[in-house]
């Protein structure tokens, strides 16, 4: 490995004697060689198929098309992984060298108190308020898109507890600052903590207070939340989740600007009306940006999902090392932290912890133009969100900019009709984040900019703020930033910056993957496609390839599903899509299968994961592609045809304090009546039908010199093994069993496919 040292900006830093971070290359020549060799084998197989194309039928043509797609995807993977890097930050240096720490606005988003219990949001907020950063430099904004009295009540009670919890954490240097994690057994005796009697008494007091808080929130969720709608709760009378006025409440305010008090805490529920689009999370983020711009107008903004608590109390300082340590501001538009989970089951049975993906592919993207925006755990420059271009950083004392050129006064209308907000935006873009000292003085205007009509005839969602047009607003917004030529950096400290809740069970995992696949395909087919960004703006070519690898997730379901059907087709029609045993080319197919799987297994072993984790991710990848990604394609097709609109589906979050897998059923795949499980059920049944057809001798005579062979049988067994959770689900009960309606639908689809197989000429 080699380390490249970056010197900090003299404008932000008092001294440049030592770097705030180091960029470390992680390239591995051995891995590169294996990747190139796999590509060579893939190209060799394609060449063989092309040469013998006329000697085979439909199955050979389908295999050629699918393998061509797999080769293209592998090229994208190689390009993405080619130059991985990591960053080592030195937070202890920044306090010695920065003249004044910049303010940071923190955004926490929640949308449904049923799927995202308020106790989870409360723990995230408490952990953020307790980070190692001057309290008068922090402001925490909570966006409640569910307009939930329960969520507001929980935050009100949490604010009372915060007055005890935050000083306790800082006095005793508590490392885990999310209470539910800190009080989870062995987590309470971390190294570095005081073991004195005084500390033990203080800790016991904190635990009692947190138990009271949890009990209050639990009781409120059962219906005991104040219902007389008086005082602070009056604003919630006669409100509906999708039909209510703007509600903004200042729960805590650090009026004196004291570093040792508590940060601001502001609750926001933007206005929603049935006939006005609200643009899901992207719309909520833009409201947070405008309201915070009026109230505190910090130059830096951190956004986290409601379940992603701050696990590293120095994370803000770590991020500042990257944001302030670059030679020029244009080198860093945002700093992305990886998404890790505190409650993931052992060996990742649902394949959604994404550890390997972040270790290799994400770090590879980091080495190109920077990591993609992941939607949570990200520090943004406000001026970048406001539409600045990298070229603007060369020009000082400007008002607003567009594509590196100064704009005319009339273009300020793109920010909306509020003069006060436009003034705050101008200050932010000039690098002078002026804001009123009294938060309440901005309430009236804040409600105005949070209305559902404020964005009409503006550039919000188009050129300014979080971009609209996709359920994956994070990828679309990050792509828009990278397209302008900005770079981004990756902050992965130890311990991890943020930890969240991993979806548990099949339905939650598939829902999340479907939403991602749908949104990514929307981005690919939009005017903001990375291909356009590379051809006509400033997106780097390899960054374009990295984005393409992400955006084609949904499209991958088509060739992968067809390829998974090929073994069953060949068995039922007594044909073959793999070279026969007597053909030398069979070595190529076998080598690809063996070397690729050993390569993937090595990646898991290299970061300390088990063979069980590797296998779980392999099979879940097949299940996800067949079920979730295929429905992502369907959703976008229906949208393009004007038959339906895509919907942002919130993933259910559960609070768990342990990843112990003593329960035998903890990692078992679960099902519900969603049609998303029909494709996987149908695919499994097709292979079972093919197996019984072969065993019962019901196949036709081979139309050519040889029919299906051992290769096709092995492939069928492999598919059945990958879909083993579905096989168990055929005979399971309760949530572990596939509903009878889903089995019936899958059986109908499988029967149709098998019927088509038997009557499809193999000599096409």
């Amino acid at each position: 490995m080699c380390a490249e040292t970056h010197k900090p900006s003299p404008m932000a830093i008092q001294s440049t004697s030592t770097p705030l971070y180091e960029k470390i290359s992680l390239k591995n020549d051995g891995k590169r060689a294996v990747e190139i060799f796999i590509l060579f084998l893939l190209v060799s197989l394609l060449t063989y198929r092309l040469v013998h194309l006329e000697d085979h039928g439909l199955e050979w043509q389908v295999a050629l098309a699918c393998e061509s797609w797999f080769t293209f995807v592998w090229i994208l993977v190689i390009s993405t992984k080619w130059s991985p890097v990591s960053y080592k930050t030195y937070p202890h240096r920044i306090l010695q060298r920065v003249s004044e720490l910049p303010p940071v606005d923190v955004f926490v988003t929640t949308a449904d108190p049923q799927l995202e219990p308020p106790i989870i949001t409360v723990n995230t907020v408490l952990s953020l308020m307790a980070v190692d950063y001057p309290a008068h430099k922090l402001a925490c904004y909570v966006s409640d898109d569910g307009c939930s009295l329960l969520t507001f009540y929980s935050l009100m009670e949490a604010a009372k507890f915060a007055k005890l919890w935050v000083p306790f954490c800082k006095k005793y240097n508590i490392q885990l600052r999310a209470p539910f994690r800190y009080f989870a057994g062995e987590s309470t005796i971390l190294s570095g903590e005081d073991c004195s009697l005084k500390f033990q008494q203080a800790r016991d007091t904190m635990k009692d207070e947190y138990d009271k808080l949890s009990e209050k929130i639990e009781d409120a969720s059962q219906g005991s939340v104040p219902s007389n709608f008086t005082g602070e709760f009056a604003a919630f009378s006669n409100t509906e989740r999708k039909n209510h006025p703007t509600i903004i409440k200042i729960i805590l305010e650090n009026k004196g600007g004291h570093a040792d008090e508590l940060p601001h805490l502001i609750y926001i529920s933007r206005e929603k009306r049935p006939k006005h689009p609200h643009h899901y999370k992207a719309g909520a983020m833009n409201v947070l940006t405008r309201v915070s711009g009026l109230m505190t107008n910090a130059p830096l903004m951190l956004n986290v999902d409601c379940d992603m608590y701050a696990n590293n109390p120095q994370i803000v300082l770590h991020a500042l090392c990257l944001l302030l340590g670059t030679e020029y501001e244009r080198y860093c538009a945002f700093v992305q932290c990886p998404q890790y989970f505190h409650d993931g089951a052992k060996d990742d049975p649902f394949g959604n912890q994404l550890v390997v993906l972040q270790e290799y592919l994400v770090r590879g993207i980091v080495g190109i133009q920077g990591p993609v925006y992941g939607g949570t755990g990200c520090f943004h420059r406000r001026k970048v969100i406001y539409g600045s271009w990298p070229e603007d950083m060369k020009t000082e004392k400007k008002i607003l900019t567009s594509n590196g050129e100064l704009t005319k006064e009339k273009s300020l209308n793109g920010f909306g009709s509020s003069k006060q907000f436009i003034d705050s935006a101008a200050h932010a873009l000039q690098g002078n984040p002026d804001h009123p000292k009294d938060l309440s003085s901005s309430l009236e205007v804040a409600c105005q900019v949070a209305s559902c009509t404020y964005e009409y005839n503006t550039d919000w969602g188009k050129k300014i703020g979080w971009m609209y047009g996709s359920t994956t607003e994070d990828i679309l917004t990050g792509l828009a930033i990278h397209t302008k030529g900005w770079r981004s950096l990756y902050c992965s400290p130890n311990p991890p910056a943020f930890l969240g809740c991993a979806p548990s069970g099949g339905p939650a995992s598939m829902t999340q993957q479907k939403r991602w696949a749908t949104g990514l395909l929307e981005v690919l087919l939009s005017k903001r496609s990375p291909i356009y960004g590379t051809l006509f703006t400033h997106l780097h070519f390899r960054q374009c390839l990295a984005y393409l690898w992400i955006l084609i997730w949904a499209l991958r379901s088509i060739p992968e599903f067809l390829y998974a059907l090929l073994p069953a087709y060949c068995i039922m029609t007594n044909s073959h899509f793999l070279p026969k045993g007597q053909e030398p080319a069979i070595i190529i197919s076998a080598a690809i299968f063996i070397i690729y799987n050993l390569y993937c297994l090595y990646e898991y072993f290299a970061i300390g994961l088990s063979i069980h984790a590797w296998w779980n991710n392999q099979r879940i990848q097949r299940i996800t592609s067949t079920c979730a990604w295929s429905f992502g394609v369907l959703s976008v097709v229906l949208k393009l045809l004007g038959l339906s609109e895509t919907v942002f589906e919130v993933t259910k979050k559960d609070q768990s304090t342990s990843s112990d897998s003593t329960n035998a059923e903890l990692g078992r795949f679960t099902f519900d009546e969603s049609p998303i499980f029909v494709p996987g059920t149908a695919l499994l049944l097709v292979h079972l039908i093919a197996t019984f057809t072969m065993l019962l001798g019901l196949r036709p005579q081979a139309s050519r010199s040889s029919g299906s062979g051992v290769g096709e049988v092995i492939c069928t067994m492999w598919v059945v093994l990958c879909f083993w959770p579905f096989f168990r689900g055929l005979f399971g009960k309760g949530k572990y069993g596939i509903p009878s309606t889903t089995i019936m639908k899958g059986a109908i689809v499988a029967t149709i496919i098998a019927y088509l197989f038997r009557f499809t000429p193999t000599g096409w």
Side-chain angles (χ1 to χ4, degrees), residues 649-721:
E649 299 174 272
V650 179
T651 305
K652 181 176 175 59
K653 299 174 177 67
D654 298 306
Q655 187 184 76
S656 172
T657 59
S658 174
S659 59
D660 231 358
S661 56
T662 54
N663 186 345
E665 304 296 339
L666 182 62
R668 188 170 173 183
F669 202 83
T670 55
F671 302 88
D672 62 11
E673 295 185 353
S674 170
I676 204 169
F677 296 107
V678 172
T681 304
L683 180 61
L684 173 65
L685 292 176
V686 167
H687 280 274
L688 294 178
I689 292 172
T691 302
F692 283 113
T693 299
M694 178 183 65
L695 294 176
L696 297 176
L698 301 178
R699 297 186 298 170
Q701 291 293 322
S703 59
R704 297 184 181 275
S705 58
S706 60
S708 59
V710 176
E712 285 71 27
V713 174
I714 292 176
C715 289
T716 288
M717 294 173 60
W718 183 259
V719 173
V720 172
L721 284 175

Side-chain angles (χ1 to χ4, degrees), residues 130 132 164-174 177 192-194 196 198-199 202:
D132 290 335
L164 302 173
W165 175 250
V166 173
F168 169 76
C169 289
K170 294 188 175 181
K171 179 179 180 179
Y172 294 104
N173 192 28
I174 304 300
R177 300 190 181 180
E193 288 187 1
D194 194 342
S196 66
K198 184 178 180 181
F199 165 72

